[in-house]
Amino acid sequence: MDPSSLFFSIEQYFPSPLPEAPGATATDEGSEAERRSGRERRRRRAVAMRLVERALAQITDAVVLVTADARITYWNAGAEQLYGCSAEEALGRRLGEVFCWRWLDDESERAAQSALQTAGSWVGEQVQVTREGREIPVEVSLSLIHGEAGEPLGMLVVMRDISRRKQAERERERLIRALQAERARLATVFERAPAFICTLRGPEHVVDLANPAFYQLVGHREIVGRPMREALPEVGGQGFFELLDDVYRSRTPFVGEEMRMLLQRASDSPAEERFLTFVFQPLSEADAGRSGIFVHGVDITEQVRARQEIEQLYERVRQASQAKSEFLATMSHELRTPLNAVLGYAELLRLGVPDALPEGALRYVERIGASARHLLQLIEEVLTFSRLEAGREAVAATDVDLRELLDEVRAIIEPLAAAKGLAFEIVADEPPVRLRTDPRKLRQILINLLGNAVKFTPAGRVELSVEPADGQVRFRVRDTGIGLSPAQQQHLFEPFWQADQSTRRAAEGTGLGLAVSQRLARLLGGEIEVRSTEGVGSSFTVRLPLRRGAGKPAA
């Protein structure tokens, strides 16, 4: 389309030029009063015209008057602001030389032409193009002006810059689209949410909206539009409706955790036990008036039942473990009694009571005593472990003479190391560290660790060092034995576990020594740490507090 065809011209509506106004000739007719009246009317008309011109000059809309031959005869300040063209530049020029506008579409142009031809006026929207080429959306009012005899005089053109309004409309449309998209997203979330959701209206808690998860919870009953007491009658008497009443009245949210509810999920079945975690959130209108309640929650029945089964299984395991520990304690006690008798009689025979034994028989008696003592040590380990398992092992804390305790440990371990040709050494500060703990348990821990070190060290040395460290006492047992792999270290303190799991293992024992030692160390407020390299050796470190009060039975 030729751009010039977009420029509007009003000449088509005024085929003839504006006629000259007939000249007025003065007559001598009429009285002086009539002449004075005429002068007054002309004065008032002139005042009115000045007021009109003043008003048109001050309004922000662009106001333009053109003659029938489309020449501009009035151009106000609003027009100057809109087009960037002064009145001096515009007056006397043809409308098409100053105006440049673009119709929104062909329909708008046809509608304007039809309205001007039939009604003499038209109001609509166009796009004005300034002399700089900037496009401005405007609201335009075109009105043809006729004389008293119907003769064409000109046209009144009023234009208003609606850029801000258009921008606001575009922003409004953008917000509406965003709101629609958000509503669609929320609707999707509402429909697909695994949690049950519903909204209740008014004091009767009428169901307004419910998602599929809520329908599934209540057995797909028809609930929308019905009060909760009517929709779910079996829930009555369980306290839930009273909670809803209180939330609606007080406007205070309520959070329920693992609430038990009896629900009839099928019309021909009894009420079913369900466990729910939910929130009753009060809703308010814009004027802060009460509106209803938003219900959101999850059905955790399966999780609760699974946990209850685990708790029941745990209780059965605990009872079985306690029964096992009690059995071990009883059996250990029953075994220790005759063993003590065997040790006593063997010692009497070794001492020659009632009669001295030959050298060969004496060696057999010593072997009997050594085997009985080893068996008694194993029984003591089992007995200690059973007490720990049953929670009956208590701490008897006293001030420990560490030099005396280390001498006792040396007396037991040194012969074992010498029998294997191992060097054994105890390194401790002088004077020794003052320590308050249970000496019997500490002695058992050190003997277990040193006994293991001797047992798993084919050649080399075993060392026990004692030193204070940051309010603690550190006992470190180091050896040059076979060491442990990282996989073996993960199971080291498990009961009945041994590094050599074969049926032909060289080392004897129950596999309880380290497990008992770790639990005793924790009972004393400490911990056992291990560092080991396979084929190089191991280091076990026991850290104990300097002072340990009387302890409770171990759990």
Side-chain angles (χ1 to χ4, degrees):
M1 179 183 291
D2 184 359
S4 63
S5 65
L6 299 178
F7 299 153
F8 181 74
S9 173
I10 66 171
E11 291 177 341
Q12 56 182 311
Y13 304 106
F14 299 106
S16 60
L18 186 68
E20 294 290 335
T25 59
T27 65
D28 294 333
E29 298 178 357
S31 64
E32 180 66 23
E34 290 176 344
R35 288 195 294 271
R36 285 196 303 269
S37 177
R39 287 194 298 270
E40 181 62 23
R41 285 196 300 273
R42 287 191 296 274
R43 187 188 66 78
R44 290 179 179 176
R45 189 160 45 246
V47 171
M49 287 300 297
R50 284 196 298 272
L51 288 175
V52 170
E53 289 181 0
R54 184 70 57 84
L56 291 175
Q58 292 181 357
I59 65 175
T60 57
D61 292 345
V63 180
V64 180
L65 282 174
V66 295
T67 62
D69 59 354
R71 292 191 180 277
I72 300 171
T73 60
Y74 181 80
W75 184 270
N76 76 336
E80 291 183 355
Q81 180 69 25
L82 179 63
Y83 281 95
C85 179
S86 67
E88 288 76 10
E89 295 176 289
L91 291 176
R93 298 174 64 182
R94 297 179 68 84
L95 189 64
E97 297 174 358
V98 179
F99 274 34
C100 181
W101 63 47
R102 175 170 57 80
W103 295 98
L104 297 180
D105 49 49
D106 294 341
E107 182 63 29
S108 298
E109 184 177 6
R110 287 192 294 269
Q113 293 173 351
S114 175
L116 286 171
Q117 291 171 353
T118 57
S121 64
W122 174 77
V123 177
E125 294 183 5
Q126 292 177 334
V127 176
Q128 290 291 335
V129 182
T130 67
R131 59 169 59 182
E132 295 86 7
R134 183 167 58 93
E135 293 189 348
I136 303 174
V138 294
E139 185 178 72
V140 181
S141 172
L142 303 177
S143 300
L144 297 178
I145 304 173
H146 296 85
E148 293 180 358
E151 71 277 14
L153 299 179
M155 177 181 286
L156 172 65
V157 182
V158 180
M159 288 169 289
R160 175 174 294 171
D161 184 347
I162 57 173
S163 300
R164 291 185 178 179
R165 191 181 80 187
K166 287 296 183 181
Q167 183 179 0
E169 289 176 356
R170 289 193 296 270
E171 179 64 16
R172 177 175 173 273
E173 291 173 358
R174 186 191 67 80
L175 292 176
I176 289 175
R177 289 193 300 270
L179 179 61
Q180 291 172 341
E182 183 65 16
R183 283 179 174 175
R185 188 183 70 82
L186 290 177
T188 302
V189 172
F190 182 80
E191 291 295 321
R192 298 181 180 179
F196 60 81
I197 303 172
C198 77
T199 57
L200 308 178
R201 170 173 41 86
E204 298 299 320
H205 316 305
V206 177
V207 181
D208 262 350
L209 197 63
N211 73 336
F214 194 90
Y215 276 105
Q216 182 178 5
L217 176 68
V218 300
H220 299 280
R221 281 179 272 186
E222 292 297 329
I223 57 174
V224 173
R226 301 174 63 187
M228 285 291 281
R229 285 181 168 86
E230 177 185 326
L232 306 175
E234 73 276 13
V235 179
Q238 300 183 48
F240 292 94
F241 297 147
E242 290 75 12
L243 286 173
L244 288 172
D245 293 337
D246 184 64
V247 170
Y248 184 83
R249 183 173 51 254
S250 67
R251 302 186 189 182
T252 302
F254 176 81
V255 179
E257 297 283 347
E258 291 191 15
M259 301 285 285
R260 179 178 178 272
M261 177 185 287
L262 296 178
L263 272 175
Q264 189 175 4
R265 308 188 76 192
S267 58
D268 56 349
S269 64
E272 179 182 337
E273 182 184 58
R274 309 299 295 179
F275 291 91
L276 311 176
T277 291
F278 58 86
V279 177
F280 290 162
Q281 179 67 43
L283 301 175
S284 299
E285 299 289 358
D287 59 358
R290 295 187 183 93
S291 171
I293 296 175
F294 177 78
V295 179
H296 175 274
V298 289
D299 183 352
I300 58 170
T301 303
E302 302 308 320
Q303 295 93 314
V304 171
R305 288 175 178 170
R307 191 192 67 224
Q308 290 174 344
E309 291 178 1
I310 292 174
E311 290 173 350
Q312 293 172 1
L313 178 61
Y314 175 80
E315 180 59 23
R316 289 197 295 270
V317 170
R318 190 194 64 79
Q319 292 176 358
S321 178
Q322 184 175 0
K324 175 207 67 178
S325 297
E326 293 175 353
F327 170 77
L328 289 175
T330 301
M331 290 301 298
S332 298
H333 177 74
E334 294 298 324
L335 289 172
R336 189 167 56 176
T337 301
L339 271 176
N340 285 330
V342 170
L343 282 171
Y345 283 118
E347 183 65 15
L348 289 175
L349 290 173
R350 190 182 69 80
L351 295 174
V353 178
D355 299 312
L357 295 177
E359 187 67 26
L362 190 59
R363 285 197 298 272
Y364 289 130
V365 170
E366 289 176 349
R367 290 182 181 178
I368 292 173
S371 297
R373 280 190 296 273
H374 177 66
L375 184 57
L376 189 61
Q377 181 182 358
L378 297 180
I379 292 173
E380 183 61 31
E381 282 186 356
V382 173
L383 189 60
T384 301
F385 178 75
S386 66
R387 286 197 303 268
L388 289 167
E389 285 282 285
R392 293 200 297 264
E393 187 74 16
V395 175
T398 61
D399 290 330
V400 177
D401 185 339
L402 201 53
R403 183 184 288 107
E404 180 180 343
L405 186 142
L406 293 177
D407 287 342
E408 294 175 358
V409 170
R410 186 194 303 274
I412 295 173
I413 299 301
E414 199 166 45
L416 300 177
K420 294 187 66 174
L422 303 176
F424 176 67
E425 183 179 8
I426 296 179
V427 179
D429 291 342
E430 289 292 342
V433 178
R434 299 186 63 83
L435 178 66
R436 182 176 178 82
T437 190
D438 189 322
R440 185 180 65 84
K441 291 178 175 56
L442 176 56
R443 183 187 304 108
Q444 187 172 354
I445 292 170
L446 296 178
I447 289 175
N448 284 346
L449 294 179
L450 289 167
N452 270 354
V454 171
K455 186 188 303 183
F456 294 102
T457 302
R461 60 185 289 106
V462 173
E463 177 184 287
L464 169 62
S465 62
V466 184
E467 58 183 355
D470 300 326
Q472 296 178 322
V473 182
R474 184 170 62 196
F475 300 85
R476 178 171 295 163
V477 175
R478 286 179 285 198
D479 64 56
T480 57
I482 60 176
L484 296 162
S485 68
Q488 290 173 327
Q489 293 178 46
Q490 293 180 0
H491 304 281
L492 195 59
F493 296 106
E494 294 177 5
F496 306 108
W497 186 90
Q498 290 184 321
D500 184 0
Q501 296 289 319
S502 66
T503 56
R504 298 181 178 180
R505 60 180 184 265
E508 300 176 345
T510 61
L512 287 174
L514 290 177
V516 168
S517 298
Q518 181 70 285
R519 297 189 185 198
L520 288 177
R522 291 173 178 170
L523 191 63
L524 298 179
E527 189 77 18
I528 299 179
E529 302 170 357
V530 59
R531 291 184 179 180
S532 184
T533 302
E534 197 168 10
V536 176
S538 302
S539 172
F540 288 81
T541 302
V542 184
R543 300 178 186 273
L544 296 179
L546 286 173
R547 299 188 66 79
R548 176 68 166 90
K552 296 181 180 179

